[in-house]
Amino acid sequence: MKLITAIIKPHQLDAVKEALEAYGISGMTISEASGYGRQRGHSEVYRGAEYTVDFVPKLRLEVLVDDMDASSVADVILKSAQTGRIGDGKIWTQQVEDVIRVRTGERGSEAI
Amino acid sequence: MKLITAIIKPHQLDAVKEALEAYGISGMTISEASGYGRQRGHSEVYRGAEYTVDFVPKLRLEVLVDDMDASSVADVILKSAQTGRIGDGKIWTQQVEDVIRVRTGERGSEAI
Amino acid sequence: MKLITAIIKPHQLDAVKEALEAYGISGMTISEASGYGRQRGHSEVYRGAEYTVDFVPKLRLEVLVDDMDASSVADVILKSAQTGRIGDGKIWTQQVEDVIRVRTGERGSEAI
Ligand SMILES: Nc1ncnc2c1ncn2[C@@H]1O[C@H](COP(=O)(O)OP(=O)(O)OP(=O)(O)O)[C@@H](O)[C@H]1O
Ligand SMILES: Nc1ncnc2c1ncn2[C@@H]1O[C@H](COP(=O)(O)OP(=O)(O)OP(=O)(O)O)[C@@H](O)[C@H]1O
Ligand SMILES: Nc1ncnc2c1ncn2[C@@H]1O[C@H](COP(=O)(O)OP(=O)(O)OP(=O)(O)O)[C@@H](O)[C@H]1O
Ligand SMILES: [Mg+2]
Ligand SMILES: [Mg+2]
Ligand SMILES: [Mg+2]
């Protein structure tokens, strides 16, 4: 299994969520984060306000997937999160050794 | 070393924390998250309110452990987080290459 | 590529950020977290208040780096986060299989 983590613009969440649902993804976790990339010092617009501070609000998504879905799911997030403007985000993929579904105790791919 | 991440129901935190302490776990990190699993569209109950929105509030736990403890610690979380109702959560295990304890500069298993 | 995650004292953020900038790091993600280490039950001071509760507020940093930078970046965080008092934090390093820069679609080291 793989864990795909994405830092996205908050207002792209609906687009990313719909694209993941259309792909058939069964679940995801989000949390609030903030950060900066290469334009630190430059400003980004968020909710109509211009952020000149370093840390711009972002959303952090986590999606557990089967090995065979990992590359497609990263592409689905890439396309749906992309606005073409600076600060669009990062997506990274990591190996996961085991997954457990808590209610049923299932493990591995069955648990996702 | 391993990193065990668990998404649990917020009201299970005390049970999970007590179970991890009873096992002898020396530390953990929690953060607020929200998410959904396979019943997206169905509702879950949280603090007496029924959530029909997609994202249900959850807690995200991280526990760094020695290789030899990883499987037992995942089981301890599984048993203490389980209520038998939908939305009980996910637990996943990942490899960690190095750990540093900041105050002492210790590394590896000593640092956990 | 590697992902370096650090749990630090919130008031050390500026020092860590400046040290990472001085090293030449191009981006980072932060989120709010809380936790405890080995002195659970003992108290920690945060913003002048003594916390006797278990979970002390912390910041969670994530930095994606090239393989060749991983060890130096962990050291930069270690030195800048260290106050010498209990609760200074943990740093861990994990393998990352792929990184994507969302705006440009670049992958791998180019994407960081
Ligand atoms: N090296 C990094 N490590 C961890 N998180 C990062 C890193 N770089 C960027 N991020 C996270 O991704 C978010 C968006 O980054 P951003 O899209 O600005 O990257 P970028 O490389 O500057 O690309 P662009 O030129 O398109 O802005 C940041 O706010 C931060 O949360
Ligand atoms: N594929 C996934 N990737 C990332 N996080 C997930 C995934 N599936 C579920 N989660 C997280 O775990 C939480 C709980 O999921 P949940 O227990 O509902 O999973 P489930 O497979 O639907 O199991 P159940 O049938 O018992 O409800 C979600 O709110 C979400 O935060
Ligand atoms: N085993 C662990 N797993 C996950 N997170 C941890 C673990 N231990 C500590 N942490 C996180 O790191 C934070 C700081 O831990 P802390 O520095 O107190 O570790 P420690 O081993 O007790 O070191 P010290 O003796 O210097 O206090 C905790 O609040 C928690 O968020
Ligand atoms: Mg940028
Ligand atoms: Mg569910
Ligand atoms: Mg401690």
Side-chain angles (χ1 to χ4, degrees):
Chain A
M1 288 80 62
K2 308 278 185 197
L3 174 67
I4 299 176
T5 303
I7 309 296
I8 64 165
K9 289 183 168 165
H11 64 258
Q12 293 304 110
L13 177 63
D14 283 350
V16 172
K17 190 172 148 289
E18 275 164 36
L20 287 172
E21 281 170 17
Y23 180 85
I25 281 302
S26 63
M28 57 184 290
T29 299
I30 59 170
S31 51
E32 290 179 4
S34 60
Y36 60 83
R38 302 182 200 200
Q39 297 81 13
R40 190 186 54 244
H42 293 236
S43 57
E44 274 186 42
V45 172
Y46 173 68
R47 292 198 173 158
E50 209 164 345
Y51 275 77
T52 47
V53 294
D54 284 337
F55 291 99
V56 181
K58 302 284 174 187
L59 279 182
R60 187 176 184 279
L61 268 71
E62 290 176 299
V63 189
L64 291 163
V65 295
D66 259 325
D67 286 1
M68 64 178 190
D69 289 316
S71 157
S72 306
V73 168
D75 279 343
V76 164
I77 298 174
L78 169 62
K79 274 171 199 145
S80 54
Q82 201 174 54
T83 69
R85 290 187 294 276
I86 60 167
D88 266 356
K90 301 280 180 187
I91 302 164
W92 64 89
T93 305
Q94 289 174 290
Q95 186 76 41
V96 171
E97 295 188 346
D98 200 15
V99 176
I100 308 175
R101 182 182 183 184
V102 173
R103 180 172 59 94
T104 62
E106 285 163 293
R107 282 159 199 265
S109 290
E110 309 291 303
I112 291 178
Chain B
M1 287 80 62
K2 308 279 185 196
L3 174 68
I4 299 175
T5 303
I7 309 295
I8 64 165
K9 290 183 167 164
H11 64 258
Q12 292 305 110
L13 177 63
D14 283 351
V16 172
K17 191 172 148 287
E18 274 165 36
L20 286 172
E21 281 170 17
Y23 181 85
I25 281 301
S26 60
M28 56 184 290
T29 300
I30 59 169
S31 51
E32 289 180 5
S34 60
Y36 60 82
R38 303 183 199 199
Q39 297 81 14
R40 191 184 53 243
H42 292 237
S43 57
E44 274 186 42
V45 172
Y46 173 68
R47 292 199 173 158
E50 209 164 345
Y51 276 77
T52 48
V53 294
D54 284 337
F55 291 99
V56 181
K58 301 284 174 187
L59 279 182
R60 187 176 185 279
L61 267 73
E62 290 175 299
V63 190
L64 292 163
V65 294
D66 259 327
D67 285 2
M68 64 178 191
D69 289 316
S71 157
S72 306
V73 168
D75 279 344
V76 164
I77 298 174
L78 170 62
K79 275 172 198 141
S80 54
Q82 200 174 54
T83 69
R85 290 186 295 276
I86 59 166
D88 265 355
K90 301 279 180 190
I91 301 164
W92 63 90
T93 304
Q94 289 174 289
Q95 187 77 42
V96 171
E97 295 188 347
D98 200 15
V99 176
I100 308 176
R101 182 183 182 184
V102 174
R103 180 172 60 93
T104 62
E106 285 163 292
R107 283 159 198 266
S109 290
E110 308 292 303
I112 292 179
Chain C
M1 288 82 61
K2 308 280 184 195
L3 175 68
I4 299 176
T5 303
I7 309 296
I8 64 165
K9 290 182 168 165
H11 63 258
Q12 292 304 110
L13 176 63
D14 284 349
V16 172
K17 191 172 147 288
E18 275 164 36
L20 287 171
E21 282 170 17
Y23 180 85
I25 280 302
S26 62
M28 57 183 290
T29 299
I30 59 170
S31 52
E32 289 179 3
S34 60
Y36 60 82
R38 303 183 200 198
Q39 296 80 13
R40 191 186 53 245
H42 292 238
S43 57
E44 274 186 42
V45 173
Y46 173 68
R47 293 197 172 159
E50 208 163 345
Y51 276 77
T52 48
V53 293
D54 284 337
F55 291 100
V56 180
K58 301 285 173 186
L59 279 183
R60 187 177 184 280
L61 267 73
E62 290 174 298
V63 190
L64 291 163
V65 294
D66 260 326
D67 285 2
M68 63 177 190
D69 288 316
S71 157
S72 305
V73 168
D75 279 344
V76 164
I77 298 174
L78 170 61
K79 275 172 198 141
S80 54
Q82 200 174 54
T83 69
R85 289 186 295 275
I86 60 167
D88 265 355
K90 300 279 181 188
I91 301 164
W92 64 90
T93 304
Q94 289 175 288
Q95 186 78 42
V96 171
E97 295 187 348
D98 201 14
V99 176
I100 309 176
R101 183 183 183 184
V102 174
R103 179 171 62 91
T104 62
E106 285 163 293
R107 281 159 199 267
S109 289
E110 309 291 304
I112 290 178

